[in-house]
Amino acid sequence: MAGPRHDPALYRDRDVVPVRRALVSVSDKTDLLSLATALADAGVEIVSTGGSATLLRDAGYAVTDVSAITGFPESLDGRVKTLHPSVHAGLLADLRLEDHEQQLAQLGIESFELVVVNLYPFVETVRSGAQGDDVVEQIDIGGPAMVRASAKNYANVAIVVSPESYASVIESVRAGGTSLVQRRELAARAFAHTAEYDRAVATWFAEGTLTAKDLPAHLTIKAERLATLRYGENSHQRAAIYTRTGGHGIAQAAQLQGKEMSYNNYVDADAALRAAFDMIKPAVAIIKHANPCGIAVAAPSALDPIASAHLRAHECDPVSAFGGVIAANRTVTLKMAENLRDIFTEVIVAPDFEPEALEVFKLKKNLRVLRLPVDWQQERMDVRLVSGGLLLQDADRFPDDIESVAKDWQLVSGEQPAADEMQNLIFAWKSCRAVKSNAIVLAKGSATVGIGMGQVNRVDSCRLAVERAGDRAAGSVAASDAFFPFADGPQVLIDAGITTIIQPGGSVRDAEVIEAARAANVTMFFTGERHFFH
């Protein structure tokens, strides 16, 4: 068996490494001049590229361009700058080995003891909504190569990938050099940095294939722990909240006040967003145990639309709304906050809040107030863990032009409703997507009046929705997330005075169901699309 490539006896102690030469190439230029001041004061030669070199030179610091080291100009619109032996030999030379030291001398290459590199803003570019080549151009090639080379050679080189590390590096430079322990810690951060970067790039490419015939063969999901929660769904379960790289949902919301968020708070807040943000008009959803207590859009000509939407949603089931989670798809106003003053609420989440509304909420110190990130949007894909793996599917979304889609719904019984009643029907159809299967939603004037959910048969969901609605069931419309397997469910709705029913259709007994509607002179539509939510 061959022996080790290097004789351990040749290694020399490299605990503290003085910094004589630094390579600086950063996209994030935060506090760069503070670092440059410390390096210049210590007599460190600064080698730099592109915008970093320009910034340092304009600030009065002596800078050696990388092109002067490589003898090769930056080319291909900056794609090739540091990919050269004169750079990478200086990064990878292990100066604990006499042979490496001699080879550098023969090649006329000097080593680096400090490398300051952070990568092109790929994630930020994706979050901005950029597409295609604009994103591709933010895939860094030379940067990761320098970071990984320096991190591999941590015995000799300190690699810095974030301005957060500048303070400790400045202190070490002034004290005479970086320590082995410090360089190893910096290397660990560097490898984590490039790993996260590569995952983000891989995820973007994978998501780009989601419009193709096949879903990606490989799926990379990167998440970092944001906080450890008190417990999970129950007090004996451990739990934490993680943020996914590139995420822009409830996990990225800023908590403005209130008690610590719980596992169930996050689940309910996400369900509330799902319901409220399906609506184009100002809308509010109130959620309890992942199911809606009420969903509504603003009344026509309301002076304060979002406050109106909340009151109408609350009226659906005031008892269940106690201790609920609320999502609004518009800025929460002072009027809406005042309406909530005497209603116990666990969480309220919205795009923003009027300052006066936040002052009212301060009187409810336990109320959790969450502001969505400015780039919040509904996910394109749904992921769910199962034993030994995960499930991936397209997110169940409604088209923005659902009114045009509604024109293609099949009218199988009764007469075409008037325009305002069609809007109510569209609202009910959207609302049933947010309700746990089997879902039945009764609505009037684009506000829910009765909801039946989570039953193991559809007829029981019909009974529950009618019971919740009471006298309000008469004259309302009903939406069912899936087809009726028998006529008994629609008959419960018909007996309660429902005027219109919307459902996917597709049952072997559709003819029986249609006949029940026709016999009662009830309008019925088939959409051809279901909206299960398990």
Side-chain angles (χ1 to χ4, degrees):
M1 181 180 292
R5 181 177 177 185
H6 300 300
D7 183 348
L10 295 177
Y11 280 80
R12 294 169 289 178
D13 179 32
R14 292 282 284 173
D15 184 10
V16 176
V17 175
V19 179
R20 301 177 299 104
R21 198 164 182 248
L23 176 58
V24 178
S25 181
V26 295
S27 291
D28 181 359
K29 297 176 176 59
T30 303
D31 293 333
L32 181 59
L33 296 183
S34 297
L35 178 62
T37 298
L39 297 178
D41 290 346
V44 176
E45 178 189 0
I46 300 176
V47 179
S48 191
T49 66
S52 300
T54 300
L55 176 67
L56 295 171
R57 191 172 284 117
D58 289 348
Y61 296 100
V63 177
T64 302
D65 289 317
V66 163
S67 58
I69 303 299
T70 64
F72 198 88
E74 294 185 11
S75 59
L76 305 180
D77 298 321
R79 284 189 171 195
V80 179
K81 292 180 286 194
T82 58
L83 297 170
H84 194 279
S86 294
V87 173
H88 283 272
L91 300 177
L92 286 165
D94 187 349
L95 298 183
R96 297 173 301 174
L97 300 170
E98 293 181 0
D99 181 49
H100 280 205
E101 193 170 28
Q102 291 170 2
Q103 287 184 61
L104 283 189
Q106 292 169 0
L107 294 169
I109 295 174
E110 294 185 58
S111 63
F112 293 98
E113 295 80 34
L114 175 65
V115 176
V116 184
V117 173
N118 51 58
L119 311 181
Y120 293 169
F122 178 84
V123 171
E124 293 78 2
T125 302
V126 171
R127 286 179 176 173
S128 73
Q131 301 289 329
D133 288 346
D134 291 336
V135 177
V136 171
E137 286 305 313
Q138 295 303 319
I139 300 175
D140 205 329
I141 303 300
M146 289 190 292
V147 170
R148 291 176 60 82
S150 304
K152 174 179 179 176
N153 197 24
Y154 75 91
N156 303 274
V157 183
I159 172 64
V160 178
V161 295
S162 170
E164 295 176 359
S165 300
Y166 287 176
S168 64
V169 170
I170 289 172
E171 183 178 349
S172 296
V173 168
R174 288 172 176 168
T178 59
S179 70
L180 182 61
V181 170
Q182 181 183 28
R183 294 193 300 276
R184 187 181 180 98
E185 290 176 350
L186 290 171
R189 295 177 195 172
F191 279 121
H193 184 64
T194 57
E196 181 176 346
Y197 193 85
D198 286 342
R199 286 190 187 98
V201 174
T203 298
W204 181 79
F205 273 100
E207 289 181 346
T209 70
L210 296 179
T211 57
K213 179 179 178 180
D214 297 321
L215 294 175
H218 303 280
L219 186 65
T220 302
I221 298 175
K222 172 67 167 60
E224 295 183 355
R225 190 176 68 194
L226 176 66
T228 299
L229 306 178
R230 287 180 296 167
Y231 50 81
E233 285 186 286
N234 302 290
S235 59
H236 61 279
Q237 295 172 264
R238 294 185 302 168
I241 175 72
Y242 289 76
T243 58
R244 181 173 58 81
T245 299
H248 34 246
I250 194 64
Q252 287 74 34
Q255 185 169 352
L256 305 183
Q257 73 160 59
K259 294 194 299 185
E260 174 187 349
M261 287 283 288
S262 72
Y263 181 99
N264 293 330
N265 290 154
Y266 277 113
V267 171
D268 284 347
D270 204 39
L273 291 179
R274 175 187 175 96
F277 280 79
D278 271 341
M279 308 301 168
I280 296 174
K281 295 179 180 179
V284 167
I286 306 172
I287 298 293
K288 191 79 167 288
H289 301 301
N291 262 311
C293 310
I295 307 170
V297 301
S301 305
L303 296 178
D304 190 322
I306 202 65
S308 167
H310 166 252
L311 286 178
R312 302 180 81 222
H314 184 78
E315 288 170 355
C316 178
D317 189 353
V319 174
S320 298
F322 179 85
V325 171
I326 296 174
N329 69 355
R330 298 288 196 279
T331 296
V332 171
T333 61
L334 171 61
K335 177 62 176 173
M336 179 175 170
E338 289 175 337
N339 291 342
L340 276 165
R341 192 188 298 269
D342 297 324
I343 300 173
F344 172 52
T345 302
E346 292 279 5
V347 183
I348 181 166
V349 55
D352 208 348
F353 300 84
E354 289 183 352
E356 297 83 358
L358 292 176
E359 290 300 315
V360 172
F361 288 149
K362 285 180 181 179
L363 302 176
K364 302 164 70 75
K365 63 179 182 179
N366 290 333
L367 172 64
R368 303 162 179 90
V369 177
L370 272 61
R371 181 166 57 208
L372 292 170
V374 293
D375 59 350
W376 184 86
Q377 58 183 275
Q378 296 196 50
E379 299 287 354
R380 294 173 54 227
M381 304 298 296
D382 284 337
V383 179
R384 180 173 295 188
L385 294 179
V386 293
S387 300
L390 55 82
L391 296 169
L392 177 70
Q393 67 173 354
D394 293 321
D396 186 12
R397 302 279 293 276
F398 290 103
D400 292 336
D401 61 341
I402 191 170
E403 285 79 5
S404 297
V405 174
K407 294 177 182 177
D408 296 326
W409 289 345
Q410 183 183 4
L411 180 63
V412 296
S413 174
E415 298 181 355
Q416 177 70 32
D420 59 343
E421 192 67 348
M422 278 301 296
Q423 286 300 314
N424 186 33
L425 200 64
I426 290 171
F427 166 83
W429 182 236
K430 283 186 171 183
S431 296
C432 77
R433 187 188 80 98
V435 180
K436 295 287 188 179
S437 309
N438 292 302
I440 300 293
V441 169
L442 309 186
K444 276 185 179 179
S446 296
T448 58
V449 295
I451 302 174
M453 76 289 280
Q455 304 302 303
V456 292
N457 65 74
R458 195 158 296 276
V459 69
D460 279 349
S461 286
C462 291
R463 292 187 182 112
L464 180 58
V466 167
E467 179 184 346
R468 293 281 179 86
D471 293 340
R472 297 172 297 174
S476 67
V477 303
S480 173
D481 64 343
F483 64 65
F484 289 98
F486 302 96
D488 53 358
Q491 193 61 54
V492 170
L493 303 176
I494 291 168
D495 292 344
I498 303 300
T499 62
T500 306
I501 299 173
I502 184 168
Q503 57 136 323
S507 168
V508 295
R509 294 183 176 85
D510 274 348
E512 176 185 329
V513 172
I514 293 171
E515 181 56 34
R518 288 176 176 172
N521 197 29
V522 166
T523 298
M524 180 176 286
F525 283 95
F526 283 1
T527 67
E529 180 179 75
R530 77 178 187 194
H531 288 288
F532 273 163
F533 177 35
H534 287 100

